[in-house]
Each structure stands twice: as structure tokens, then as C-alpha cells.
Amino acid sequence: IGRNAFSLALIGPPGSYKTSLAAKVMHHFGELWDHNRPVSSMSGNGDTFNTVRLKLHQAKDVLYWLDDFAPTKSWLEAQKLLEETSRLIHNQEGRGRTARDGQSFSDGPPPRATGLLTSEVMPRPGSASQRMLVVPLASDDIDTSLVFPLNDPTSRFQRALVMASFIRWLATDLKEKQK
């Protein structure tokens, strides 16, 4: 299908259901996603940034869920990680590597996925925040009586079926439909 260079960032305090919403979106790509299974946890207890880079490359043309940019160490460090991740995805930056002899280097694989980010911290104004669509959420914004039923197995299956049908339709003549 292709990637979208701009990431979607659901930003709010704990209890604003940003992770639950992200899991519901991921049901389009597979009905077994739940709020405990992001592709990468960014809380400081999950993947390293180098691992995230490689996973963003391997997840070609799909939505990649990076959960919980939280101020575990400090607010500023969480903001910097959120902004760095946003730039990485938008600019398709590959990490250069040097050869063992130190005389040459090669480009690393660039990200090929679209980002779905959940965060407790808002990005600072600037180029990084311009590379994401920020959706601020407050604790009382989400009507849980409407969201929680979406976790029902039938609802999960239906969202996955809609996406599978869409991909099948696209596959019949992708080049023409991309115009």
C-alpha cells in the first residue's frame, strides 16, 4: 500500500485510553492485538532505539505501533525520544555503520512503516512536531461504553476482515489505484 511519512500521535495522561485506542486501530491488521502488545514499548523497558530502527524497516508498508513515550527518566528525555522517533520515520533515516577496518561505512536500512505513537508527553514546537498529527486526549474524552465493546472478538474479527478485503481489492490493480 505504501507508507505515510507523518506519524499519528495519541497524547494524554495515564487513564486517557490512548493505548486502548491504538490497540483497536491495530485490529485492522490482526484481531489478536490487545493493549498489552504494542510492536515496541518506548517506556524505557522495551526495545532499544536500534531495534526499533530495524523493526520499522522490516514492517514495510504497515502501521507500526510505538507505545508509551513516558517520562520514566525525565520529561525532556521522553520528549526527545518522541521527537527523534518522529523524525526517523518521516525522514526515513538509516543509521550508518562503519566497517570493521574503520575505512568505509554503509547506510543502515531506513524505516518503511507508518508510525502510530502513544505518549504522555507533548512534543515541543518545531520540526519534529510538524512531522506528526498530534491528537490530544484528556481522561474524560473517551466514552468507555462505546470503546470497550470494540474489544469483543466479533468486533476485532470484523475490523481485520475490512482491512483484508481492502487489501484484496487493492491487489487487483495496485498501480492504477495508486494514481
Side-chain angles (χ1 to χ4, degrees), residues 50-67:
N50 284 337
T51 300
V52 168
R53 284 176 184 270
L54 291 172
K55 285 182 173 183
L56 282 166
H57 175 76
Q58 293 168 344
K60 182 180 180 193
D61 299 334
V62 298
L63 192 61
Y64 188 94
W65 176 20
L66 298 120
D67 187 44

Side-chain angles (χ1 to χ4, degrees), residues 122-160:
M122 187 70 76
R124 297 170 293 180
S127 66
S129 64
Q130 294 170 356
R131 288 166 168 73
M132 59 181 110
L133 173 61
V134 173
V135 178
L137 297 170
S139 296
D140 59 352
D141 283 349
I142 304 299
D143 183 350
T144 56
S145 69
L146 297 174
V147 174
F148 289 167
L150 295 174
N151 226 21
D152 179 69
T154 302
S155 180
R156 288 173 174 225
F157 172 75
Q158 290 168 342
R159 285 195 297 286

Side-chain angles (χ1 to χ4, degrees), residues 1-2 61 162-179:
I1 297 173
D61 299 334
V162 165
M163 182 57 88
S165 299
F166 177 64
I167 291 172
R168 183 176 181 192
W169 173 79
L170 278 177
T172 59
D173 191 4
L174 181 61
K175 295 291 182 195
E176 183 62 30
K177 290 173 181 155
Q178 284 179 327
K179 291 181 183 180

Side-chain angles (χ1 to χ4, degrees), residues 74-129:
S74 76
W75 192 272
L76 183 60
E77 283 200 33
Q79 282 181 314
K80 286 180 180 179
L81 181 60
L82 176 66
E83 294 163 1
E84 186 177 356
T85 304
S86 170
R87 282 191 192 97
L88 170 78
I89 293 169
H90 186 275
N91 299 340
Q92 287 190 289
E93 297 171 355
R95 182 175 181 210
R97 305 240 181 227
T98 59
R100 290 182 186 260
D101 62 9
Q103 302 300 312
S104 62
F105 71 95
S106 61
D107 291 331
R112 302 183 297 179
T114 299
L116 172 58
L117 319 173
T118 63
S119 175
E120 290 180 26
V121 299
M122 187 70 76
R124 297 170 293 180
S127 66
S129 64

